[in-house]
Amino acid sequence: MSIDLETAAKVAKLARIAVRQEALPALANEFNTILGFIEQLNEVDVSGVEPMTSVTPMRLKRREDVVSDGNQQAAVLSNAPDAREGFFAVPKVVE
């Protein structure tokens, strides 16, 4: 597959990249180089290779999703410049 100047301009427009007319041949050449690498990857024999999601065979630790208030209200409110009756106090915005 080969990318021509018109296709390179269309891809640049879709990617919202401003490319000057004189830079289009270089961009098309870069696209063709990338496609060449992809064609090389298609030649690799991967039969018998299992798909993987990670290079290390680890399972993520899981915990039960439990909703709680955290029991840290005093610690959180200690960071507030002004707290009243267990809430953050903020200045009035609407008059």
Side-chain angles (χ1 to χ4, degrees):
M1 180 176 208
S2 179
I3 301 292
D4 59 354
L5 297 181
E6 182 181 320
T7 306
K10 185 175 181 179
V11 170
K13 182 179 178 185
L14 290 172
R16 297 179 186 257
I17 299 172
V19 178
R20 295 185 316 272
Q21 193 68 26
E22 58 270 9
L24 280 176
L27 181 64
N29 188 28
E30 287 182 37
F31 285 151
N32 287 321
T33 303
I34 292 169
L35 289 175
F37 288 137
I38 292 172
E39 287 175 5
Q40 284 181 359
L41 289 174
N42 285 334
E43 295 173 4
V44 176
D45 180 24
V46 293
S47 58
V49 178
E50 299 244 349
M52 61 181 184
T53 57
S54 175
V55 294
T56 56
M58 295 174 41
R59 277 191 62 98
L60 294 175
K61 296 179 183 176
R62 300 185 184 244
R63 63 172 172 80
E64 190 174 329
D65 191 14
V66 179
V67 178
S68 71
D69 64 357
N71 295 325
Q72 296 185 14
Q73 180 182 17
V76 171
L77 290 177
S78 69
N79 294 320
D82 188 11
R84 298 179 196 153
E85 300 177 15
F87 297 98
F88 289 101
V90 295
K92 185 176 180 182
V93 179
V94 180
E95 298 201 28

